[in-house]
Amino acid sequence: MASFLGGPSMMPPSPVEVLEAAAQTVDRHLQADASYGDLTDQLNVPSHKQPSLSGLNDYDYPSTVDPRIGADCLSELSTVKKVPLPPELVEQFGYMQCNCMMGLFPEISRAWLSIDGDIFVWNYEDGGDLAYFDGLNETITSAGLVHPKHGVFQPHIQYLLCLTTPVDIVLLGVSFNRPHTGLDELVHSEMHLLPTPLFTLPTDNTHINSIMGTALGRIFMAGKDGCLYELTYQAEDGWFSRKCRKINHSASTLSFIVPSFLNFSFAEDDPLVQITVDESRHILYTRSEKGTIQVFDLGEDGKGTSRVAAVSLQTTVQNAALVARNIDRSNFKPLVHIAAVSRTESVNVHLVAVTHAGVRLYFTTNYFHHPRSRPSMLSLVHVRLPPGFSASASPQKPSNVHVAHYKKGTLLLASSQTEDNDVLWASSPDSFPFQNKLMETHATIPIDGRTWALTEVPLPSVSQRPADPNAPIRADPPLVVTEHMEPVRRFILLSAQGSHLMNKLRPVDQLRQLLIKNNGPDSEEVKDFFKLHLASQACATCLILACSKLAADKQVSEWATRAFFLYGGEVQINYGAPSIPPSTLGPASLSTTIGPTGYSSPAPISTTVMTPGPGLSSSFATPAQALHPSQMSTPNTAFGQQQQSLLQQQQQQQLLLQQQQQQSLLHQQQSQQQHQFPSFGQEVFYSPKHEGICLYLSRLLRPLWEYKVVSDVPFQNRQGQKQIFLASRLSGEELSWFLQQLSELREFITVNSQFASPLVTESLTATPLQRTSRLDVSTQLDEQTRRRQLVEAQIKHEKQSMQYNEELIQRICENLGLWKVLCDHQFHILASGLSGRFSVTTSSISWHLAFRRTNRIS
């Protein structure tokens, strides 16, 4: 590849060098995106024996009204719609005699209501498609929707509705007029409850409080007697097993020969009230009414059941109080919710419990850094206090939490303010990626009525390819890395007034909302968005909207393109001090230096900025005088002392904010191409626009970059011999998606190829050498000439880098397009006729190696 200065005598790079240079840029940005830690790293938990505490500092929940953060205008949740209860159900309340319950079946977009022995199911999206079952003579005590076991029922039965009464357990078949369809189709499908139960089993005087199914079709039930039960069923009776039976997983072997009424009489009155299952690790957890948490190991394959550990509420409160010694113990009890934490969120944290005060208690079931081991304990590793516990926080805190939901870092709390109304608290870390501390935004939403149920629509994650079973287990990256592929998360809150549908906004959704709200990018709110996420990351988010070809996004796409160039910055040169790119976040009067602990410390600086000309507004650095704390005097008056205290508090908040930006800047630095000039001590950084394009390109390619092109699939031929054939690991639909996204990005680069301009933002740190040079005017003029030459050379190099990226995108599209043709014509049949050498070679090739080659895959 040509050198940075690009002398005229240099030979032009060969196609191989061009592709390799662009591929190395992708590698560099992928490595930067992989620089995140596990949740335990953010919580500062070194091992399962060293629990930690957070929530007491201002940076745990940064104030969104601080103009330096620029998050005041951002919404975490957006109300989609409110749907009242069907009018037919309102009439049924008048006939209630005994009991009424409500809940949600998000897998099929349905809500349910039981009144005595009748159950009603309807579509919470529009209030329609009301179905009911009135074949029970007893009052319904619990209801659950579960997946059927494979091969037991007819294909048209897509789900099972499990109902329990004090007398019977009933399994009903659930079918739709559009079988074997996804969630989007089920919303518009008509649901049918089979009138005749598939199975009916006596409860043996066991009151069932809750039902939970697994992906394999197992049905677990929480008993009022404190026992965990499982309802098992099979197609036919066996020699030693009935067609349908109930198993007690909490009782000992001796209990099977003891009458149930004796077991009940000696049992402690601590009913199980909640069951949650970690499908990624095959671990089941239960929570009792008195706060005892139990752990059950379902085995490597999810087909076993063994009780591993149990921790009482008293033990949990004692352990939490040892971690948070200055916090009232009443904040740690009672427990109102438990949520399993999957491997995609954390390797070491396995469970989160939520108290009535909104405190989160994080647990692990194993020693750290042993992700493939089976559970062996339940140990508290972290206490996370809710907003309101820091010194400068508002006095408002969550209280009387009675319903909660936690998944993938997002926490929702339904807090009772009055008997008739709730307040929904929402917190999320998505606005602060790549931080070494867990930092979260929080917001409150008033809710009409009392919350009966709160859950999330289960949507498949499309950001990850099937992982290599031998590869190290890691949590998913921050949302900003995968937001272009992830569907919008939707939450449903059910009350007596109806269903409340809310979307969890991704950063790209927040940017879209700001552009529409302000009728374009010319606003302080859009500018603040770039401050919050840093210009390069915000540019990558802009490209998601700018490259969209949807008709509904046409205007938003134009606005996003304008924002990309308006706030995307220019080539940046850093003179003399820290090797960190100029910050677009935080106070301009402080620079940062990296200390041994990884935190930032203030240093006096002198900043000079070359202001861009007309047509481009610069807000990425502002002139400011140096701050010298050692030169400040202390006033003697009370007013002066008050002013000094206020100033010290502001300086402390500035340092906290610097800690926030430190990790973001380090992430940006890892992905930057730096050019060091030892004679002058200067560092030249690509513009945020350039880095945004490279970031977006690398994130588009991330799911397949290290992914194998083909896989070996074993099969048995007609003669009964085992053979192996090659199959493409990407389907034709997946290839089409990648082709579309890459083509749109390439078109954006081509159309806007002249985005670079000779403007520059300089971050100048005064050094003794520079201060001396100011005495010599001629030397200063020489420095200005060098800077101008440096800027011109960097702009030229940046344009060259974009050309290399275009070449790489074109080559990738050619390879993927050809591969799609092979997949559309049954690749496995074509590959079977090729030589064994080709099979061996192709099996070992990853996509990034194929993209680096100058010849197409053939």
Side-chain angles (χ1 to χ4, degrees):
M1 191 179 74
S3 67
F4 171 68
L5 294 178
S9 61
M10 297 292 292
M11 294 292 293
S14 66
V16 175
E17 292 174 325
V18 169
L19 293 178
E20 182 61 30
Q24 288 180 3
T25 301
V26 174
D27 287 333
R28 187 168 58 252
H29 286 82
L30 288 175
Q31 184 178 5
D33 274 346
S35 63
Y36 61 93
D38 190 75
L39 178 59
T40 48
D41 298 324
Q42 291 184 306
L43 299 177
N44 193 27
V45 185
S47 76
H48 72 284
K49 294 182 179 180
Q50 298 175 272
S52 60
L53 171 69
S54 66
L56 289 174
N57 299 307
D58 291 335
Y59 58 76
D60 292 324
Y61 299 98
S63 174
T64 57
V65 298
D66 193 326
R68 295 167 299 175
I69 297 180
D72 184 30
C73 53
L74 300 182
S75 302
E76 286 296 330
L77 292 177
S78 174
T79 297
V80 178
K81 55 184 172 181
K82 299 179 181 179
V83 183
L85 295 178
E88 300 91 337
L89 290 183
V90 179
E91 299 176 4
Q92 295 295 325
F93 283 106
Y95 302 103
M96 184 178 66
Q97 298 179 354
C98 225
N99 188 39
C100 174
M101 301 174 64
M102 295 181 74
L104 292 163
F105 298 146
E107 301 90 344
I108 58 174
S109 299
R110 298 302 191 272
W112 62 272
L113 167 69
S114 68
I115 298 178
D116 298 330
D118 301 337
I119 186 168
F120 304 86
V121 184
W122 72 98
N123 190 333
Y124 57 65
E125 293 276 355
D126 54 16
D129 190 29
L130 179 64
Y132 69 94
F133 180 77
D134 57 0
L136 301 177
N137 297 323
E138 302 291 333
T139 300
I140 295 174
T141 59
S142 63
L145 188 75
V146 298
H147 290 279
K149 290 182 178 179
H150 179 71
V152 177
F153 304 108
Q154 295 295 325
H156 69 277
I157 298 178
Q158 296 180 255
Y159 289 92
L160 299 177
L161 178 59
C162 184
L163 303 175
T164 65
T165 71
V167 177
D168 295 317
I169 303 173
V170 178
L171 278 184
L172 299 176
V174 179
S175 62
F176 294 86
N177 62 349
R178 300 179 186 176
H180 303 290
T181 54
L183 181 62
D184 293 338
E185 288 77 13
L186 289 180
V187 173
H188 306 289
S189 300
E190 184 178 341
M191 188 188 76
H192 300 282
L193 291 175
L194 273 62
T196 304
L198 300 172
F199 293 112
T200 301
L201 192 71
T203 61
D204 298 328
N205 296 324
T206 301
H207 186 101
I208 302 299
N209 290 327
S210 177
I211 301 170
M212 172 63 67
T214 70
L216 296 178
R218 303 180 68 180
I219 304 174
F220 292 97
M221 301 176 293
K224 190 176 181 180
D225 57 357
C227 295
L228 175 69
Y229 294 93
E230 181 180 1
L231 179 66
T232 65
Y233 59 91
Q234 55 192 21
E236 300 293 340
D237 287 332
W239 284 99
F240 302 101
S241 62
R242 297 191 304 271
K243 198 173 183 179
C244 183
R245 61 195 179 109
K246 177 168 61 73
I247 301 176
N248 187 341
H249 289 298
S250 299
S252 63
T253 306
L254 182 63
S255 67
F256 286 104
I257 61 175
V258 179
S260 60
F261 69 90
L262 291 179
N263 285 333
F264 178 77
S265 62
F266 291 113
E268 183 181 355
D269 186 18
D270 190 13
L272 297 187
V273 294
Q274 185 188 358
I275 302 173
T276 183
V277 178
D278 181 356
E279 295 285 0
S280 65
R281 298 184 179 92
H282 297 305
I283 303 177
L284 181 144
Y285 306 91
T286 66
R287 174 177 64 90
S288 72
E289 193 174 78
K290 293 183 179 179
T292 297
I293 302 176
Q294 296 184 81
V295 183
F296 291 84
D297 184 7
L298 302 184
E300 286 282 357
D301 56 0
K303 297 180 180 179
T305 308
S306 61
R307 187 170 176 269
V308 174
V311 177
S312 66
L313 179 62
Q314 180 181 2
T315 302
T316 299
V317 172
Q318 289 177 350
N319 293 336
L322 290 175
V323 178
R325 297 180 181 273
N326 298 324
I327 305 300
D328 193 329
R329 290 192 174 200
S330 63
N331 291 289
F332 307 137
K333 59 182 181 180
L335 302 183
V336 298
H337 182 73
I338 58 174
V341 178
S342 69
R343 280 177 173 169
T344 60
E345 183 180 348
S346 176
V347 175
N348 299 318
V349 174
H350 301 164
L351 182 74
V352 172
V354 181
T355 73
H356 83 114
V359 177
R360 275 170 282 173
L361 306 174
Y362 294 78
F363 295 87
T364 186
T365 64
N366 218 322
Y367 298 99
F368 280 13
H369 311 300
H370 291 81
R372 301 187 190 277
S373 301
R374 301 311 303 162
S376 59
M377 59 183 175
L378 185 66
S379 177
L380 178 69
V381 296
H382 187 77
V383 177
R384 176 74 170 184
L385 302 176
F389 279 85
S390 64
S392 60
S394 64
Q396 187 181 13
K397 303 176 184 177
S399 61
N400 300 321
V401 175
H402 61 97
V403 178
H405 174 82
Y406 176 88
K407 189 175 182 181
K408 296 175 67 174
T410 298
L411 176 69
L412 301 181
L413 304 172
S415 173
S416 298
Q417 300 301 300
T418 64
E419 293 184 358
D420 300 326
N421 294 286
D422 285 351
V423 170
L424 184 67
W425 289 73
S427 60
S428 171
D430 292 339
S431 293
F432 303 101
F434 303 105
Q435 302 297 325
N436 61 356
K437 301 289 183 182
L438 180 62
M439 303 172 62
E440 298 176 307
T441 56
H442 65 92
T444 57
I445 300 176
I447 302 297
D448 297 331
R450 184 174 177 83
T451 303
W452 284 64
L454 176 62
T455 190
E456 181 176 356
V457 176
L459 295 175
S461 176
V462 295
S463 64
Q464 296 288 332
R465 305 297 316 156
D468 183 352
N470 298 321
I473 297 176
R474 284 197 71 186
D476 285 347
L479 179 62
V480 293
V481 177
T482 61
E483 61 178 329
H484 61 284
M485 302 181 69
E486 294 287 350
V488 177
R489 299 173 64 183
R490 175 164 293 188
F491 301 96
I492 306 98
L493 184 147
L494 187 64
S495 68
Q497 279 66 38
S499 55
H500 188 164
L501 279 67
M502 298 163 288
N503 281 349
K504 169 70 174 65
L505 299 183
R506 304 163 297 178
V508 65
D509 301 317
Q510 294 173 333
L511 179 59
R512 178 198 299 271
Q513 192 179 69
L514 293 178
L515 292 173
I516 295 175
K517 174 185 175 182
N518 295 281
N519 200 31
D522 302 295
S523 68
E524 290 297 323
E525 293 182 347
V526 178
K527 189 184 300 183
D528 288 342
F529 181 88
F530 280 74
K531 290 181 181 179
L532 175 65
H533 289 283
L534 296 182
S536 59
Q537 171 57 53
C539 283
T541 302
C542 268
L543 288 172
I544 303 176
L545 300 175
C547 294
S548 175
K549 296 302 179 183
L550 298 177
D553 291 343
K554 184 177 180 181
Q555 182 61 69
V556 174
S557 176
E558 294 177 0
W559 289 337
T561 302
R562 286 178 53 198
F564 179 86
F565 294 107
L566 191 60
Y567 307 118
E570 301 299 334
V571 171
Q572 300 172 350
I573 307 177
N574 191 32
Y575 291 88
S579 58
I580 297 180
S583 171
T584 62
L585 177 66
S589 58
L590 291 175
S591 69
T592 58
T593 56
I594 305 175
T597 62
Y599 290 96
S600 56
S601 57
I605 64 172
S606 175
T607 305
T608 304
V609 177
M610 295 177 63
T611 305
L616 189 63
S617 173
S618 176
S619 63
F620 302 98
T622 54
Q625 295 179 351
L627 176 63
H628 301 280
S630 60
Q631 298 177 5
M632 296 176 60
S633 60
T634 304
N636 293 324
T637 63
F639 175 77
Q641 294 176 353
Q642 203 172 35
Q643 290 293 98
Q644 183 194 18
S645 176
L646 180 61
L647 181 60
Q648 291 176 349
Q649 184 177 4
Q650 291 176 347
Q651 292 176 5
Q652 184 179 11
Q653 292 177 353
Q654 289 176 347
L655 292 180
L656 294 175
L657 201 60
Q658 291 283 3
Q659 294 175 8
Q660 169 200 348
Q661 68 174 313
Q662 184 69 42
Q663 291 300 313
S664 297
L665 291 174
L666 289 175
H667 171 262
Q668 178 179 344
Q669 183 183 10
Q670 289 182 1
S671 64
Q672 280 274 23
Q673 174 70 38
Q674 302 177 21
H675 302 283
Q676 182 76 30
F677 294 84
S679 57
F680 306 115
Q682 300 137 342
E683 289 178 338
V684 184
F685 296 94
Y686 282 133
S687 69
K689 294 191 295 289
H690 174 277
E691 290 302 286
I693 291 177
C694 294
L695 264 179
Y696 185 50
L697 173 60
S698 65
R699 290 170 180 176
L700 286 177
L701 297 174
R702 178 178 173 273
L704 56 79
W705 192 250
E706 298 288 343
Y707 202 57
K708 297 294 184 182
V709 175
V710 297
S711 61
D712 296 331
V713 179
F715 76 102
Q716 195 170 19
N717 60 18
R718 295 179 180 179
Q719 288 75 29
Q721 298 175 342
K722 292 184 177 180
Q723 295 183 347
I724 295 177
F725 68 86
L726 293 180
S728 173
R729 301 190 73 181
L730 290 175
S731 66
E733 293 182 357
E734 292 171 327
L735 291 167
S736 296
W737 185 89
F738 284 109
L739 281 169
Q740 179 182 353
Q741 303 301 315
L742 292 169
S743 298
E744 290 174 353
L745 175 59
R746 183 167 179 262
E747 181 180 348
F748 177 88
I749 297 175
T750 302
V751 172
N752 302 281
S753 59
Q754 301 301 321
F755 69 81
S757 65
L759 303 175
V760 61
T761 299
E762 293 184 304
S763 175
L764 304 178
T765 304
T767 64
L769 176 62
Q770 289 171 330
R771 285 194 293 268
T772 303
S773 65
R774 293 194 184 102
L775 300 177
D776 189 347
V777 178
S778 61
T779 304
Q780 190 174 19
L781 292 176
D782 290 342
E783 281 194 16
Q784 292 179 356
T785 302
R786 293 191 191 100
R787 296 174 192 173
R788 184 167 57 252
Q789 292 175 347
L790 204 62
V791 171
E792 292 173 354
Q794 176 67 351
I795 290 175
K796 178 181 177 182
H797 186 80
E798 190 168 283
K799 290 183 178 180
Q800 186 184 56
S801 175
M802 281 294 99
Q803 292 173 357
Y804 290 180
N805 286 336
E806 279 192 89
E807 289 292 332
L808 178 63
I809 295 174
Q810 180 178 355
R811 184 50 48 88
I812 293 175
C813 289
E814 291 174 355
N815 282 334
L816 294 181
L818 176 58
W819 199 255
K820 183 179 182 302
V821 173
L822 297 177
C823 292
D824 292 342
H825 291 79
Q826 297 182 313
F827 170 80
H828 63 283
I829 296 179
L830 298 174
S832 63
L834 299 174
S835 64
R837 181 181 178 183
F838 174 86
S839 301
V840 173
T841 303
T842 308
S843 299
S844 61
I845 292 180
S846 300
W847 277 108
H848 75 96
L849 294 176
F851 297 152
R852 281 173 155 94
R853 296 182 174 183
T854 55
N855 58 319
R856 300 179 180 88
I857 296 178
S858 59

